[in-house]
Amino acid sequence: MRQVLISGAGIAGTTLAYWLRRHGFAPTVVERAPTPRVGGHAVDIRGTALGVVERMGVLGRLRELSTDMRGMSFVNAAGKTLVKVTEHTLTGGLTDSDDVEILRDDLIDVLASVAQEGVEYVYGDWITGIAQRPDGVRVAFADGEARDFDLVIGADGQHSTVRSLVFGAEKEFSHHLDTYLAVFTVPNFLELDHWQTFHLTPGKLAGLYSARGNTEARAMLGFQAPELDFDRHDLDQQRKLLADRFLGQGWEVPRLVREMASSELYFDSMTQIRMDRFSDGRVALVGDAGYGPSPLSGQGTSLGLAGAYVLAGSLAVHSDHRAAFAEYEREMRPFVLRNQALASLNQKKQTRFAQWKQIQSMRMLPYLPFRERVMKAVMRPLTEASNALVLKEY
């Protein structure tokens, strides 16, 4: 039985562990966090990725836990509603589609619930060294232990340690999209009912959407800026950076900044990972570690789910890892490129005029004939890209 080490117990890593075990491998998952991570933003499962979770037998449960958004509003600095729409939302797309929008930690909980038997999980540890040999990989860990595996897979996200150790420094593959996003949990103090509310100012966005049956909410603070120098492990520094950026903003922004001080925080740049190969010897990358499209694409989760399925299936079909990794890349590369291209469609300079045009367009939407067709046409690039990979039976 081939021993496979997976770095990262996120969406791609947990999905990969499930499928590897199904195909007869012995997966070990190592996760830097001491316990499963909580918090984070809502993520979307659409297109091909829906087929992956359906084959895992969890699609019904994920639909039960979906955010089930009814629509969104945009407000001015005084909180006055500028426009309300029910056809789509900023985070989830069309409200009447088959897509599933779900909180990231809820998704991981469901995936992990079916990826326990036969999978070893190691929390609070991480990889510090990788030495490839003809017959395997010797891996050193932060706790001082060293272990041997047949293969190592980096599913450790945008700032992948595996990628840095084997492929090169992050700066070689990271392409900053001039945008930053923070997400954190707050009380649902606006009493939103499956609803999202946003406030725009030039180069900035503040938002709030209800979560978990309206019992809580997720706050969003986003801004456009060139690449910044900050410690991604120093949450206090990140909170100060955000507080300074949003100083003097209207609407509920001062309260959101206050709530942020006592909440877990996700804060990072909108960045794409672009690589000319997804594997090196006995090491491969999956999900954001190898081809993160950035949240601007709306497809990071779906790429991670699909990539894990294809990678595990390719390894099951080919006893030679080199042939398996080659098939994995042939299958995934066109799908990755098509979905990464979506980010550029959504990367628009948020000037006052651009935001005014956006509000006016949404105001006009209810009065347009065939508005459903209009919305589907607007969403067509995402719909086509998300369905551009046909899943094989492995």
Side-chain angles (χ1 to χ4, degrees):
M1 185 178 291
R2 283 189 282 178
Q3 308 285 324
V4 182
L5 175 64
I6 303 168
S7 176
I11 294 166
T14 306
T15 304
L16 180 61
Y18 170 87
W19 286 109
L20 285 177
R21 188 69 189 94
R22 280 280 300 270
H23 292 309
F25 292 79
T28 296
V29 180
V30 60
E31 168 59 51
R32 179 186 289 263
T35 59
R37 296 180 188 269
V38 297
H41 50 82
V43 298
D44 300 296
I45 308 169
R46 55 171 62 96
T48 297
L50 288 169
V52 175
V53 294
E54 184 174 27
R55 294 179 189 199
M56 296 175 73
V58 298
L59 179 56
R61 179 60 178 148
L62 296 177
R63 291 200 185 281
E64 291 174 0
L65 294 170
S66 72
T67 60
D68 196 24
M69 288 292 158
R70 299 184 299 110
M72 64 176 176
S73 305
F74 285 82
V75 299
N76 64 14
K80 179 183 177 181
T81 298
L82 300 174
V83 64
K84 295 173 67 173
V85 295
T86 56
E87 288 81 6
H88 69 288
T89 65
L90 193 66
T91 65
L94 295 175
T95 53
D96 66 348
S97 74
D98 290 331
D99 302 347
V100 176
E101 184 183 50
I102 184 171
L103 295 180
R104 181 184 182 276
D105 44 356
D106 287 347
L107 172 56
I108 293 175
D109 283 348
V110 172
L111 296 174
S113 71
V114 295
Q116 292 296 316
E117 185 177 353
V119 180
E120 176 190 6
Y121 287 89
V122 180
Y123 286 94
D125 204 359
W126 60 93
I127 297 172
T128 57
I130 295 175
Q132 299 198 60
R133 301 177 306 207
D135 60 344
V137 186
R138 169 57 64 95
V139 180
F141 295 91
D143 70 355
E145 185 182 6
R147 294 174 60 180
D148 294 318
F149 297 90
D150 294 295
L151 303 169
V152 174
I153 310 297
D156 43 354
Q158 177 176 318
H159 306 290
S160 171
T161 296
V162 172
R163 188 183 63 233
S164 295
L165 289 171
V166 176
F167 296 83
E170 182 173 317
K171 63 183 179 181
E172 297 178 31
F173 314 108
S174 178
H175 295 262
H176 181 57
L177 301 180
D178 294 329
T179 306
Y180 287 84
L181 177 67
V183 181
F184 48 97
T185 302
V186 299
N188 186 10
F189 59 86
L190 292 183
E191 298 183 351
L192 300 174
D193 180 12
H194 297 280
W195 198 262
Q196 305 181 349
T197 302
F198 297 99
H199 173 54
L200 297 174
T201 55
K204 296 185 178 70
L205 173 146
L208 195 67
Y209 57 89
S210 60
R212 296 205 169 105
N214 304 324
T215 61
E216 61 185 50
R218 292 291 194 268
M220 299 171 57
L221 296 175
F223 62 90
Q224 295 182 323
E227 197 161 4
L228 303 174
D229 183 19
F230 66 93
D231 184 348
R232 63 186 182 87
H233 298 296
D234 188 339
L235 296 184
D236 288 337
Q237 181 194 37
Q238 295 170 28
R239 291 186 179 102
K240 184 178 186 309
L241 186 157
L242 286 160
D244 291 345
R245 283 274 170 175
F246 284 84
L247 184 66
Q249 294 287 298
W251 185 53
E252 299 287 352
V253 173
R255 175 160 185 178
L256 295 182
V257 170
R258 291 195 303 271
E259 295 283 358
M260 178 178 63
S262 58
S263 177
E264 85 293 331
L265 175 66
Y266 164 86
F267 175 67
D268 213 336
S269 63
M270 297 280 198
T271 295
Q272 281 196 349
I273 300 300
R274 303 173 191 166
M275 304 189 68
D276 59 6
R277 56 197 169 98
F278 301 154
S279 65
D280 182 294
R282 290 177 173 270
V283 179
L285 302 172
V286 67
D288 284 355
Y291 35 83
S294 93
L296 281 174
S297 73
Q299 278 294 89
T301 294
S302 292
L303 280 183
L305 289 165
Y309 177 85
V310 172
L311 176 54
S314 299
L315 287 168
V317 170
H318 299 282
S319 57
D320 185 336
H321 65 275
R322 292 166 294 189
F325 290 161
E327 178 174 328
Y328 164 57
E329 180 141 353
R330 280 195 304 271
E331 287 289 308
M332 287 300 297
R333 174 72 65 180
F335 189 53
V336 165
L337 293 177
R338 191 159 182 178
N339 282 277
Q340 285 189 332
L342 294 170
S344 62
L345 298 177
N346 297 323
Q347 188 186 13
K348 302 171 183 176
K349 190 69 173 177
Q350 290 297 308
T351 63
R352 191 177 301 278
F353 179 63
Q355 291 173 347
W356 177 85
K357 286 200 303 180
Q358 182 180 2
I359 296 296
Q360 300 312 310
S361 297
M362 287 188 285
R363 280 177 170 165
M364 292 173 57
L365 185 62
Y367 306 103
L368 292 176
F370 311 114
R371 63 179 180 272
E372 291 83 5
R373 294 184 187 178
V374 171
M375 283 306 306
K376 288 181 179 179
V378 170
M379 299 299 291
R380 185 172 294 125
L382 175 59
T383 302
E384 292 180 349
S386 66
N387 286 281
L389 174 69
V390 177
L391 296 178
K392 292 181 177 180
E393 296 287 347
Y394 293 104

